[in-house]
């Protein structure tokens, strides 16, 4: 079972690129972020024609998340994180796909920091940590996937000294991410490649991709019941090098179907 996350950076502009990647990679599940499209403008017909069922949470001009499932329809669990009734940003969506709970997210950037945007980022992370506890308490197999806008360690960034004051790399951000992992989540890529520099994002400026001046901010976290099924992970770097690309590359994992817990998970069983 291949599960991927891809910050598409505008699905209207990148739809051909998305469809090409779906045809090539054929992920069983794909979590998309930064749709930058209102709910009614999402190209559901084109994605369904490519063989994917889809649910999405759009927002005009900004944000937006979606979950795609090959050959089946994701069963939605919910959208949005509890804890802030005033938060109207489209950043979180949950579904059950083939008995696995998929939590797709687009965590706030938080810049400039310090400031209100950074405060929002940290409060959003606290709400995510709470949701993580709830999901793990179910014992269900869960994948939490998306653009976390978190650079976990120095190994995950080109020239870390240049990022010290950035919201993605500030100590408060990394500490909150560490507390999330401490609940029992497995960072898939880092677990399989503990000492390698692996990036998932390269800025459009200063030939960042050509220089491989990137950062790793797209993560796929596995619940304890699902971690033993992890057998491969990677980044489809070539997608970033194509014409008119997103500034992110698709990031993916492969799970051994034989090691995925057999217990059937229904949407109503996930609180």
């Amino acid at each position: 079972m291949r599960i991927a996350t891809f910050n598409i950076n505008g699905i209207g502009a990148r739809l051909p690129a998305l469809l090409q990647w779906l045809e090539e990679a054929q992920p069983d599940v794909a979590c998309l972020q930064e749709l930058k499209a209102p709910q009614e403008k999402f190209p559901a017909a084109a994605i369904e024609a490519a063989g994917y069922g889809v649910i999405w949470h759009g927002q005009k001009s900004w944000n937006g998340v979606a979950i795609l499932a090959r050959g089946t329809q994701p069963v939605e669990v919910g959208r949005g994180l509890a804890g802030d009734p005033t938060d109207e940003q489209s950043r979180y969506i949950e579904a059950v796909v083939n008995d696995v709970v998929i939590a797709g997210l687009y965590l706030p950037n938080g810049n400039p920091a310090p400031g209100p945007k950074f405060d929002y980022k940290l409060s959003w992370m606290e709400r995510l940590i709470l949701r993580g506890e709830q999901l793990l308490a179910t014992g269900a197999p869960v994948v939490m996937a998306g653009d976390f806008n978190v650079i976990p360690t120095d190994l995950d960034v080109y020239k870390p000294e240049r990022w010290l004051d950035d919201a993605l790399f500030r100590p408060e951000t990394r500490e909150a991410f560490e507390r999330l992992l401490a609940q029992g989540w497995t960072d898939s890529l880092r677990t399989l490649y503990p000492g390698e520099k692996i990036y998932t994002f390269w800025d459009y400026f200063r030939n960042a991709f050509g220089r491989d001046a990137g950062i790793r901010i797209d993560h796929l976290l596995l619940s304890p019941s699902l971690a033993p099924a992890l057998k491969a992970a990677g980044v489809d770097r070539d997608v970033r090098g194509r014409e008119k690309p997103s500034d992110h590359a698709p990031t993916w994992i492969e799970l051994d179907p034989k090691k995925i817990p057999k217990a059937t998970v229904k949407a109503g069983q996930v609180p």
Side-chain angles (χ1 to χ4, degrees):
M1 184 178 187
R2 179 173 286 223
I3 301 173
T5 180
F6 188 9
N7 181 320
I8 197 69
N9 192 19
I11 198 164
R14 321 283 181 210
L15 181 59
L18 172 63
L19 295 176
Q20 180 183 353
W21 170 71
L22 288 174
E23 183 178 2
E24 293 170 350
Q26 296 192 355
D28 296 292
V29 179
C31 296
L32 305 182
Q33 304 88 43
E34 216 170 342
L35 304 177
K36 295 182 177 177
Q39 190 74 4
E40 67 275 10
K41 296 291 186 180
F42 184 84
I47 289 173
E48 290 167 354
Y52 285 81
V54 58
I55 59 173
W56 68 97
H57 189 195
Q59 184 175 343
K60 185 178 181 180
S61 301
W62 307 102
N63 307 320
V65 287
I67 297 175
L68 287 59
R70 186 160 64 97
T72 188
Q73 179 64 29
V75 179
E76 184 170 328
V77 174
R79 55 184 63 197
L81 286 174
D84 183 358
T86 68
D87 186 3
E88 297 180 349
Q89 297 191 28
S90 302
R91 294 185 174 275
Y92 187 87
I93 193 165
E94 258 180 42
V96 176
V97 181
N98 296 330
D99 299 335
V100 176
V101 179
I102 307 293
L105 63 97
Y106 177 42
L107 204 147
N109 177 285
N111 281 303
K117 291 185 177 180
F118 189 55
D119 294 341
Y120 172 65
K121 179 189 186 88
L122 295 180
S123 66
W124 204 96
M125 293 186 79
E126 293 301 323
R127 292 156 59 200
L128 181 65
I129 289 169
L130 177 59
R131 184 57 183 158
E133 290 178 352
Q134 294 170 341
L135 288 170
L136 292 185
T138 70
V142 184
V143 179
M144 189 180 287
D147 176 359
F148 281 72
N149 270 316
V150 175
I151 305 170
T153 70
D154 286 6
L155 185 61
D156 300 305
V157 54
Y158 176 82
K159 294 192 175 179
E161 65 274 11
R162 297 184 178 179
W163 290 79
L164 295 178
D165 294 325
D166 194 283
L168 281 63
F169 198 50
R170 284 179 67 96
E172 304 97 319
T173 301
R174 287 183 286 161
E175 187 273 336
F177 187 72
E178 289 170 2
R179 283 192 286 119
L180 178 67
L181 291 180
Q183 293 176 341
W185 299 95
T186 293
D187 181 348
S188 303
L189 260 74
R190 189 51 69 213
T191 295
L192 292 182
Y193 303 100
E196 293 188 29
K197 284 203 169 187
I198 300 175
Y199 303 138
T200 65
F201 169 95
W202 299 260
D203 205 314
Y204 290 125
F205 305 106
R206 299 178 297 279
N207 189 33
F209 183 66
R211 295 186 295 114
D212 198 26
I215 56 178
R216 187 175 76 96
I217 56 176
D218 302 274
H219 309 302
L220 295 109
L221 308 185
L222 305 182
S223 64
S225 64
L226 199 54
L230 178 64
K231 67 175 186 177
V235 180
D236 290 339
R237 284 177 53 102
D238 62 303
V239 176
R240 174 63 179 84
R242 295 174 181 172
E243 186 177 356
K244 296 181 180 178
S246 169
D247 41 12
H248 295 249
T251 306
W252 54 268
I253 58 173
E254 284 190 7
L255 303 175
D256 184 345
K258 297 178 181 178
K259 295 183 179 180
I260 296 175
K262 298 298 183 182
T264 300
V265 181
K266 294 183 173 62
Q269 295 175 323
V270 184

